[in-house]
Amino acid sequence: MTTSHFDQVRLMDEGDLKLVLSWRNHTDVRRYMYTSHQITLKEHSQWFERASRDPNRHLVIFEGDATPLGFINLHVAAPSGVADWGFYAAPDAPKGTGQRLAATLFDYAFRELGLHKLCGQAIAYNTRSIAFHQRLGFQTEGTLRDQYFDGSCYHDVLCFGLLASEWKTNK
């Protein structure tokens, strides 16, 4: 990971809606999502309005050198400091953005929010996401068999977990 970039995360605001929607609707992102249809601006705006009112949800924009390069949805699912995360980099983001996004988000999640654990999921055919989680130090915690139906067949979903103590060790 390069250190020449000034990386940060910030909360998403309404001004980010169209950009994040364009990333989310891009074929390279959409094909790995549970909801794979083209999302309308109205649908996206309604989701943002609901999600941004939830005090347990952090809708986060990752920026490198003040340029938005990715989106993270962090949901604190338990009062014990366990959160689910989902993310995607901008389709045209430079190589290595995912690693930078994760490092910056983990610092935010574990240091600033004081979380104990991050949980992630990947559809079994998303081999890049599976390998990415493993490179970041996530442990495979289980498989949800035939959990996701893509319209023609069922797919397993892999579940991952990363403890704050593991992040500190791997950092």
Side-chain angles (χ1 to χ4, degrees):
M1 183 164 103
T2 61
T3 57
S4 63
H5 298 278
F6 175 68
D7 294 341
Q8 68 176 11
V9 290
R10 64 170 174 78
L11 293 179
M12 180 180 171
D13 62 38
E14 283 190 46
D16 299 309
L17 279 174
K18 287 183 180 178
L19 179 62
V20 171
L21 179 61
S22 71
W23 296 342
R24 173 59 178 80
N25 276 338
H26 191 279
T27 306
D28 292 340
V29 172
R30 195 165 30 100
R31 68 181 169 167
Y32 295 116
M33 299 301 215
Y34 292 130
T35 306
S36 59
H37 70 278
Q38 284 273 99
I39 296 171
T40 65
L41 181 57
K42 180 180 179 183
E43 183 181 357
H44 188 61
S45 297
Q46 290 170 340
W47 161 82
F48 177 74
E49 187 178 320
R50 280 189 316 274
S52 60
R53 283 186 298 205
D54 182 346
N56 295 316
R57 191 167 301 274
H58 301 260
L59 307 177
V60 179
I61 299 294
F62 168 71
E63 292 182 336
D65 294 329
T67 301
L69 295 173
F71 170 76
I72 305 114
N73 186 346
L74 190 62
H75 182 240
V76 181
S80 58
V82 177
D84 296 315
W85 86 312
F87 63 93
Y88 42 90
D92 61 349
K95 187 170 175 52
T97 295
Q99 291 283 345
R100 292 169 49 206
L101 176 150
T104 308
L105 186 271
F106 293 170
D107 196 52
Y108 172 74
F110 293 127
R111 283 196 182 156
E112 289 187 41
L113 299 180
L115 294 178
H116 173 70
K117 180 179 180 181
L118 279 179
C119 301
Q121 293 186 346
I123 301 170
Y125 60 77
N126 191 347
T127 56
R128 287 183 65 201
S129 182
I130 293 165
F132 180 70
H133 278 88
Q134 292 168 340
R135 276 193 314 275
L136 293 172
F138 279 81
Q139 299 298 309
T140 303
E141 296 189 335
T143 300
L144 302 173
R145 298 176 307 125
D146 283 357
Q147 181 75 11
Y148 170 69
F149 185 69
D150 67 5
S152 62
C153 65
Y154 286 93
H155 301 275
D156 293 348
V157 172
L158 280 70
C159 301
F160 302 97
L162 178 68
L163 302 176
S165 59
E166 295 166 334
W167 168 73
K168 288 176 188 169
T169 302
N170 293 337
K171 227 178 115 168

